[in-house]
Amino acid sequence: GQQLNQSPQSMFIQEGEDVSMNCTSSSIFNTWLWYKQDPGEGPVLLIALYKAGELTSNGRLTAQFGITRKDSFLNISASIPSDVGIYFCAGSLNDYKLSFGAGTTVTVRA
Amino acid sequence: EPEVTQTPSHQVTQMGQEVILRCVPISNHLYFYWYRQILGQKVEFLVSFYNNEISEKSEIFDDQFSVERPDGSNFTLKIRSTKLEDSAMYFCASKSYSPIGELFFGEGSRLTVL
């Protein structure tokens, strides 16, 4: 199956800092997605990307779909305490399956 | 706001017992999924279901697993004879006809196999 490599695995950041994480894949995807998971909850969709090269924003979040269709990054600007959580990238070729990265755990120092 | 609901939120069972996890997807959605997440690990795809049949399944989804949509609202995952390694959070998800990005997850059912 498709392998997604997500980095960094974890990060500690100061409130107000910008955050960046990325995902690479061994194979191409037609869709890249970024989810956030809070403890004891299911993943919540943050941003969906459908075209190679696409750059999309959602508030303080910005994500890009790499030109090669094998990578994506997520930026969080001016982090706040509620940004704490685990961020997962996910990729899909079709309607039937998402492959997830291993996650980036973000902890914000107040 | 419509949401995917799952029951039970937590189930503890003995190894070898059968378990049924239940999900009520969002009402106008057409595609249904089960994913699982072993504690501290990534979310893994199990199975997708569309038009009353399995459309894709992973190697995790062996003969011990089955899914069913017994009526117009419920979507169930059955594990016939649970093993210790089945302990995980199981997430149901659904989407409408829109691209796969619009996948809505439930809050999960935690299964603990003793």
Side-chain angles (χ1 to χ4, degrees):
Chain A
Q2 294 105 344
Q3 294 290 324
L4 274 76
N5 297 307
Q6 187 170 350
S7 65
Q9 186 176 15
S10 62
M11 56 172 56
F12 288 86
I13 56 175
Q14 291 283 350
E15 186 175 353
E17 280 184 349
D18 295 345
V19 174
S20 186
M21 61 194 80
N22 68 79
C23 232
T24 59
S25 169
S26 56
S27 53
I28 63 172
F29 286 117
N30 291 329
T31 305
W32 276 96
L33 308 141
W34 287 92
Y35 284 85
K36 180 173 184 265
Q37 186 178 28
D38 292 326
E41 311 253 339
V44 175
L45 180 66
L46 299 174
I47 291 182
L49 302 158
Y50 302 109
K51 294 181 186 176
E54 179 182 358
L55 184 71
T56 296
S57 292
N58 178 8
R60 293 179 295 106
L61 308 177
T62 302
Q64 184 156 31
F65 191 148
I67 288 290
T68 64
R69 294 164 64 195
K70 291 184 177 182
D71 63 299
S72 176
F73 71 74
L74 174 71
N75 287 339
I76 306 172
S77 62
S79 55
I80 59 178
S82 62
D83 289 333
V84 163
I86 304 176
Y87 292 79
F88 290 98
C89 63
S92 172
L93 273 178
N94 57 34
D95 278 331
Y96 304 123
K97 177 181 175 182
L98 280 182
S99 298
F100 280 80
T104 296
T105 301
V106 173
T107 306
V108 178
R109 296 193 198 97
Chain B
E1 185 177 318
E3 58 182 14
V4 176
T5 57
Q6 290 186 241
T7 54
S9 57
H10 188 193
Q11 181 156 357
V12 181
T13 190
Q14 294 288 331
M15 191 168 57
Q17 294 296 304
E18 176 182 283
V19 160
I20 297 177
L21 305 178
R22 292 182 169 80
C23 170
V24 179
I26 295 173
S27 62
N28 63 344
H29 282 189
L30 304 174
Y31 299 79
F32 313 110
Y33 309 81
W34 284 100
Y35 286 80
R36 81 170 185 191
Q37 186 178 32
I38 295 171
L39 185 64
Q41 298 188 21
K42 66 179 181 180
V43 178
E44 300 175 290
F45 169 77
L46 290 179
V47 66
S48 57
F49 192 86
Y50 172 69
N51 203 25
N52 288 319
E53 60 183 18
I54 290 174
S55 42
E56 190 163 343
K57 60 183 180 180
S58 72
E59 57 273 14
I60 302 169
F61 194 88
D62 61 22
D63 292 344
Q64 293 301 311
F65 290 86
S66 63
V67 289
E68 202 174 40
R69 187 155 163 81
D71 52 43
S73 60
N74 291 284
F75 179 52
T76 62
L77 174 70
K78 182 192 290 186
I79 309 174
R80 286 191 188 82
S81 177
T82 49
K83 305 186 286 285
L84 295 176
E85 53 265 38
D86 292 329
S87 295
M89 281 288 280
Y90 287 81
F91 292 105
C92 175
S94 71
K95 77 175 186 76
S96 65
Y97 54 83
S98 61
I100 194 165
E102 307 298 325
L103 195 63
F104 292 85
F105 284 83
E107 293 197 342
S109 293
R110 179 173 297 284
L111 176 64
T112 302
V113 182
L114 302 176

